[in-house]
Amino acid sequence: MNFSTTVIIDNSSGVITDDVQSTIASDVNQQITIKLLIRRPESVSDYADQILNGTASPLSRDEFSKRFSSSDEDIALVCEFAEHYNFTVDKSHADSATITLIGTIGSFNNAFGVTLNEITNSKKTYRSHSGELSIPAELKDIIIHVSGHDNYLEGALQPMLTGYHLDQNGNIPAEMRPAAAIAGSVPLTPTQVATAYNFPKSDGYGQTVAILQFGGGYTQNNLISTFTDQGFTIPDITVVELLGATNSPDTGPGSAETMLDTFVVGVVAPKAKQVIYFAPNNNAFLSDVFNAALYDTDNAPSVISVSWGYIEDGWLIFYPGYIAGINDTLASAAVLGVTITNSSGDYGSIPFDYGVAYANTVSMIASSPYVLGCGGTSLLLHANNVTKTEVVWNHDGTGSGGGKSKLWGTPTYQQGRRIRNWRINVTGALQTLNAAGISSTTSSANNINVRGVPDVAGNADGSTGYTFFYGIDNSGIQAGGTSAVSPLWAGLVARLNQLSGKRMGFMNPMLYINTHIFRDITSGNNVVLYGVGYGANTGWDACTGLGTPRGNALYQLVRTGYVYPKSNYGFRTRTSSSYPRITRR
């Protein structure tokens, strides 16, 4: 290989901020981990789009490998390049088209023709570079993207839960107790919500649900207090620790998120195996965390639940080059028949409160066309757990995240949907909004011409939230948020996979052409901050998507046809004498 003739990698410029206070060259002896995305023989996202459009079907792992794995020749060339610059090839994985390198910052500078710097601004010190990364000309179009060398967005991923801490008597202190969004609302359990949504009767046996976490952890005491002491069975949990991250219970929101997710899945699908993947809170490695679950042949999860996210604007401003790698990974999930659920956010038309400049944005990963985005409702039940009233969750300064994507065009399954823009003139806010260039239209409805978020919804109001325990202090909390909806839908998918004997996989196209399987939420809006947001309406909307599930109706939709032995994804229990065949209807 000729190492003196180089070419620039597309989208490889470093992070630059407006308020740089100092720039110091990074220690060349410091060790770093680098991730390379390399080319596939054909586009996995193109094939995923065929699935999205109904012209192709998911592939088995063997079929996926034969069609989309990176070639041995490409991997060998990249490894030659890495070894020339004294990197250790920690891992090469053809199916995910990734190579992991370990080396020093000095090696990175020499290999890619830049200088990494420690940059300090008014908020933080981070590592980045200016200029473009270069590689040997022979690797042009082979190395698609490089990540891990800069860390501006370390810690950017946010959990999407809202909650109220409990006192020693298990109650929310009077001074903190919220007024219910709907009069008569009370705390609920996942069992009550699953009953209200008519989930089909099953327990998730034989299924594996992956839960991705980017901070915190859990203790055995958390599990006992949350499950055993409330009359539930502690689920089968396996922990996978990635990239130096560990199960690290603390008093922060990451630990609360961990227990909320495992509680909801563990109650809705009590006999499903849970695999919790703990990973660093670093957007640079987000694809690698999904890949770890997708290509985990030991646990083989059929559904992945994620309750963390980050605003699309942040990706566009700071890491546009990373978007292609994440999109490739999420498309791979669709091709492999793995369902991904993700929370849409908790502050209405802005998933996290980053200020008025971001008052119209949505959250990645929920905005991906290959992901089931999960919004929130406020739910009031009759005494027999039948739904009495359900509206858009918008309460106590929080509400269902939703809106229009800036990254993705309209997927086929959303074409023809309409979106209703709302404005509430909040005292003192209108002038600020106009200064930010946001329209002052009070209410209007138009065809959506981009990806709309969310797709579906479920109970999320903290005043009707779930009670569980978390952290090193085993603190009690009553919490909700769209974080409670992603694992709820993941548990429903596990039930459906078990009952039907096949994977639901990428469900969105099926859901959008079968709206009878939803309770349409037509009341409310998600105008939470800065007076802007979207209104509920008949059919899909940017508050609660298609609505909340009618679980049995969804099951009846997918239970027909021969399941065995034709299905690539069927599961046969070890203890049964015959396959649980579903008869053709």
Side-chain angles (χ1 to χ4, degrees):
M1 184 180 298
N2 182 356
F3 294 97
S4 60
T5 303
T6 60
V7 294
I8 300 299
I9 302 177
D10 293 338
N11 296 317
S12 64
S13 58
V15 174
I16 302 296
T17 59
D18 295 331
D19 57 347
V20 174
Q21 297 176 351
S22 67
T23 301
I24 302 172
S26 301
D27 179 1
V28 295
N29 296 311
Q30 181 181 346
Q31 183 172 286
I32 56 173
T33 298
I34 303 300
K35 294 284 183 172
L36 305 180
L37 174 67
I38 60 177
R39 70 181 175 188
R40 298 182 183 276
E42 62 176 295
S43 169
V44 71
S45 59
D46 285 352
Y47 189 87
D49 288 341
Q50 294 177 44
I51 296 175
L52 183 151
N53 295 330
T55 58
S57 300
L59 302 178
S60 69
R61 292 190 179 276
D62 287 343
E63 291 169 331
F64 183 94
S65 296
K66 291 175 183 177
R67 187 160 182 172
F68 296 110
S69 290
S70 298
S71 70
D72 292 341
E73 293 77 11
D74 283 354
I75 292 174
L77 278 174
V78 175
C79 290
E80 179 186 346
F81 160 72
E83 291 166 0
H84 177 81
Y85 286 103
N86 299 314
F87 280 105
T88 299
V89 179
D90 182 59
K91 183 179 182 181
S92 63
H93 192 255
D95 282 3
S96 64
T98 58
I99 297 176
T100 306
L101 307 180
I102 297 176
T104 65
I105 285 177
S107 293
F108 184 89
N109 292 344
N110 292 332
F112 293 97
V114 294
T115 299
L116 295 183
N117 297 307
E118 304 300 315
I119 301 173
T120 300
N121 63 18
S122 59
K123 297 180 180 178
K124 63 193 295 185
T125 296
Y126 58 94
R127 184 176 64 240
S128 188
H129 67 279
S130 58
E132 306 283 350
L133 305 183
S134 62
I135 52 175
E138 292 170 67
L139 295 179
K140 178 177 172 57
D141 300 325
I142 295 179
I143 296 179
I144 305 301
H145 187 67
V146 182
S147 62
H149 54 291
D150 49 27
N151 60 1
Y152 184 80
L153 288 185
E154 197 169 85
L157 293 169
Q158 299 291 319
M160 302 186 215
L161 82 165
T162 62
Y164 308 90
H165 283 91
L166 306 180
D167 60 24
Q168 293 181 344
N169 297 318
N171 301 312
I172 300 174
E175 66 273 14
M176 297 176 58
R177 190 174 301 129
I182 305 174
S185 295
V186 295
L188 301 174
T189 68
T191 301
Q192 289 177 288
V193 175
T195 300
Y197 293 156
N198 295 306
F199 279 19
K201 295 186 184 303
S202 61
D203 54 19
Y205 180 77
Q207 300 302 309
T208 298
V209 178
I211 302 174
L212 308 191
Q213 300 293 354
F214 300 92
Y218 71 91
T219 70
Q220 189 63 25
N221 284 339
N222 297 160
L223 297 177
I224 292 170
S225 297
T226 298
F227 288 96
T228 307
D229 293 352
Q230 296 191 75
F232 301 107
T233 301
I234 296 175
D236 176 8
I237 300 174
T238 295
V239 169
V240 176
E241 299 175 331
L242 303 169
L243 300 166
T246 60
N247 175 17
S248 302
D250 53 22
T251 59
S255 292
E257 185 63 71
T258 300
M259 281 306 303
L260 174 59
D261 291 344
T262 198
F263 180 45
V264 175
V265 172
V267 172
V268 173
K271 291 191 177 179
K273 178 180 180 180
Q274 294 185 28
V275 183
I276 304 177
Y277 297 82
F278 287 103
N281 190 332
N282 188 338
N283 286 10
F285 298 127
L286 187 57
S287 289
D288 301 282
V289 181
F290 277 97
N291 284 333
L294 281 178
Y295 303 105
D296 184 346
T297 55
D298 291 332
N299 297 300
S302 60
V303 56
I304 299 174
S305 176
V306 193
S307 295
W308 300 66
Y310 182 61
I311 57 173
E312 279 189 347
D313 291 53
W315 290 100
L316 286 165
I317 293 170
F318 301 117
Y319 282 113
Y322 285 26
I323 295 169
I326 295 169
N327 191 52
D328 179 272
T329 300
L330 301 176
S332 298
V335 175
L336 286 166
V338 177
T339 308
I340 298 177
T341 63
N342 183 227
S343 311
S344 66
D346 294 349
Y347 294 96
S349 66
I350 173 173
F352 315 101
D353 186 6
Y354 287 112
V356 68
Y358 304 105
N360 274 319
T361 185
V362 292
S363 178
M364 272 281 284
I365 303 298
S367 67
S368 168
Y370 309 119
V371 169
L372 187 68
C374 300
T377 66
S378 293
L379 177 64
L380 179 65
L381 301 181
H382 290 290
N384 59 353
N385 295 327
V386 172
T387 298
K388 183 176 182 180
T389 304
E390 192 166 21
V391 300
V392 176
W393 169 43
N394 183 349
H395 173 57
D396 203 30
T398 54
S400 179
K404 298 185 289 186
S405 172
K406 298 177 182 178
L407 292 177
W408 314 112
T410 312
T412 303
Y413 54 81
Q414 284 191 323
Q415 288 177 358
R417 307 289 169 174
R418 294 175 68 79
I419 188 166
R420 180 166 294 280
N421 302 289
W422 275 62
R423 163 175 297 288
I424 295 177
N425 293 342
V426 180
T427 303
L430 185 57
Q431 183 176 353
T432 305
L433 288 163
N434 289 336
I438 298 173
S439 170
S440 59
T441 301
T442 301
S443 178
S444 62
N446 303 284
N447 285 341
I448 189 168
N449 56 4
V450 293
R451 164 71 162 131
V453 180
D455 299 299
V456 297
N459 178 57
D461 192 334
S463 65
T464 57
Y466 309 126
T467 298
F468 59 92
F469 296 80
Y470 78 98
I472 53 175
D473 297 331
N474 204 33
S475 300
I477 189 172
Q478 177 184 311
T482 56
S483 278
V485 187
S486 178
L488 182 78
W489 270 88
L492 173 58
V493 171
R495 287 195 187 194
L496 294 170
N497 289 349
Q498 176 197 13
L499 288 171
S500 67
K502 56 187 177 183
R503 292 185 176 186
M504 294 300 99
F506 181 55
M507 301 172 63
N508 297 29
M510 176 185 69
L511 299 180
Y512 275 82
I513 62 174
N514 291 283
T515 55
H516 69 280
I517 64 176
F518 290 94
R519 178 186 179 91
D520 192 5
I521 309 302
T522 58
S523 177
N525 62 72
N526 67 354
V527 181
V528 175
L529 296 172
Y530 311 113
V532 294
Y534 302 92
N537 52 255
T538 301
W540 180 88
D541 58 58
C543 301
T544 56
L546 297 167
T548 54
R550 302 182 191 273
N552 272 318
L554 178 53
Y555 171 51
Q556 293 303 320
L557 185 68
V558 303
R559 72 185 293 266
T560 58
Y562 291 120
V563 175
Y564 295 102
K566 291 185 177 181
S567 171
N568 288 324
Y569 308 109
F571 175 83
R572 183 186 190 279
T573 62
R574 295 179 180 177
T575 57
S576 65
S577 58
S578 63
Y579 290 110
R581 185 182 297 278
I582 304 298
T583 58
R584 180 177 290 277
R585 287 175 176 262

